[in-house]
Amino acid sequence: MIYETGAEYLSSPRKRVLLFGMSGLGKTHLSNMLRDTRPTAGGWFHYSVDYRIGTRYMNEFIADNFKREAMKVPLLRELLMTDSVYIASNITFDNLAPLSTYLGKPGDPARGGLPFAQYMLRQDQHRKAEVAAMLDTAHFIARADDIYGYPNFVCDTSGSICEVVDPADADDPVLRQLSETLLLVWIKGSDDHTAELVRRFDRAPKPMYYQPDFLHAAWEEYRTTHDKTDETCDPDHFVRWTYARALAHRQPRYAAMATWGVTVTAEEVATVATPDDFNSLISRAIDRR
């Protein structure tokens, strides 16, 4: 680890932290809180991996998909063909809808579903984009300090980071680079947190990235147990059915990643209100490791 003790972390003039774990446990909340501090007051640069994926690596795919839909409308088609309108996504740190909409859900096209092969193609595009965005972290650490004067850096990862790395591989290129440049911090949720995340997802199911082997197995099992074909599968029902299984699939992968860094609990994160609170929490996590 880049900090051997809590005291070393607290005294460091340049704190570099990466937060990972299930979506909804506080990664972005903490990052937003830290970002609100100014550079001259020991401020933090907030690097959002999802934002980088959507604006740098998936932006053209997303915009082209919008244009493809617009071309189906005669008026918009004419305007696009004459360069009279401009279509682009407007991704922000707090609104990643264009990215999730592009990823889509497999199933019945009448209910907004994608053919499974097309769905898997978009999943693969996301995997490559996420790896690239993670490897950009070191560049942004230097950029944040050199251009903007931020001494501290927090990397707000995607919930799917555990799907694109191999924690058991000591030479995993992504984890090796990240662990050499930042302190990896797992925000660990409880069973109650998991149940609440499932309830939230059930209310508003959204597309996510999963490992190909996991998705192929889930797709096969779902169609068999629900007597569905590719074309008759309800896209929302499939992703709801998959989500709880995905959390169980991810939990041991997060735990394995935690051996590359430290662990804090979601309950501890909920008590953090200031950058000083955050630094104290990280310091304690380092020492109890």
Side-chain angles (χ1 to χ4, degrees):
M1 297 195 308
I2 63 172
Y3 308 106
E4 293 298 325
T5 66
E8 181 184 348
Y9 169 80
L10 290 174
S11 64
S12 174
R14 283 172 168 74
K15 297 176 175 62
R16 297 167 180 173
V17 175
L18 177 147
L19 305 174
F20 71 92
M22 290 186 291
S23 297
L25 293 184
K27 298 189 304 291
T28 301
H29 169 73
L30 288 177
S31 299
N32 286 337
M33 180 270 295
L34 294 171
R35 188 183 68 211
D36 286 341
T37 58
R38 296 184 179 276
T40 53
W44 290 76
F45 185 91
H46 175 190
Y47 178 63
S48 167
V49 171
D50 281 329
Y51 180 79
R52 179 68 170 168
I53 290 171
T55 57
R56 171 64 175 86
Y57 293 105
M58 299 284 284
N59 184 54
E60 189 171 302
F61 296 135
I62 294 167
D64 283 352
N65 194 48
F66 291 160
K67 294 171 186 175
R68 194 174 295 112
E69 292 301 312
M71 288 290 283
K72 298 175 183 177
V73 180
L75 174 62
L76 293 178
R77 185 181 192 282
E78 181 179 346
L79 292 172
L80 278 173
M81 294 297 289
T82 57
D83 293 326
S84 300
V85 294
Y86 176 74
I87 295 179
S89 69
N90 187 28
I91 290 177
T92 67
F93 281 15
D94 299 315
N95 182 11
L96 300 165
L99 176 58
S100 61
T101 298
Y102 175 74
L103 277 178
K105 308 164 190 175
D108 183 358
R111 287 180 277 189
L114 294 170
F116 191 71
Q118 185 178 5
Y119 172 68
M120 292 304 296
L121 172 63
R122 295 185 183 190
Q123 287 275 309
D124 186 59
Q125 290 169 344
H126 190 282
R127 180 188 64 79
K128 293 173 182 174
E130 185 165 355
V131 169
M134 294 304 312
L135 293 175
D136 284 345
T137 305
H139 164 68
F140 270 85
I141 290 174
R143 187 169 182 247
D145 192 4
D146 178 51
I147 298 176
Y148 304 110
Y150 280 96
N152 304 314
F153 187 97
V154 58
C155 177
D156 175 10
T157 65
S158 172
S160 55
I161 182 175
C162 65
E163 308 275 12
V164 301
V165 299
D166 181 1
D169 181 3
D171 293 319
D172 182 89
V174 176
L175 284 176
R176 177 165 286 280
Q177 187 198 94
L178 294 175
S179 65
E180 289 174 353
T181 51
L182 307 99
L183 175 68
L184 275 60
V185 179
W186 178 30
I187 301 179
K188 181 181 180 181
S190 65
D191 290 343
D192 287 341
H193 288 117
T194 300
E196 175 57 25
L197 292 176
V198 171
R199 283 192 291 270
R200 287 187 210 168
F201 191 89
D202 193 58
R203 290 194 296 269
K206 66 177 184 178
M208 296 172 59
Y209 172 79
Y210 302 113
Q211 282 188 331
D213 290 347
F214 171 84
L215 268 179
H216 279 290
W219 185 242
E220 182 66 27
E221 182 182 352
Y222 179 85
R223 288 181 303 151
T224 300
T225 57
H226 292 78
D227 192 25
K228 299 291 184 181
T229 66
D230 288 15
E231 293 76 21
T232 61
C233 169
D234 180 341
D236 281 343
H237 191 266
F238 171 72
V239 295
R240 285 189 178 104
W241 180 86
T242 303
Y243 184 69
R245 290 163 175 77
L247 295 187
H249 163 76
R250 287 181 174 181
Q251 192 70 6
R253 299 187 66 83
Y254 288 135
M257 283 181 62
T259 63
W260 292 71
V262 300
T263 301
V264 298
T265 67
E267 290 87 355
E268 289 175 312
V269 166
T271 68
V272 172
T274 68
D276 285 343
D277 292 343
F278 176 79
N279 287 331
S280 295
L281 173 61
I282 300 303
S283 173
R284 294 194 302 272
I286 294 171
D287 284 339
R288 73 186 176 209
R289 185 180 188 273

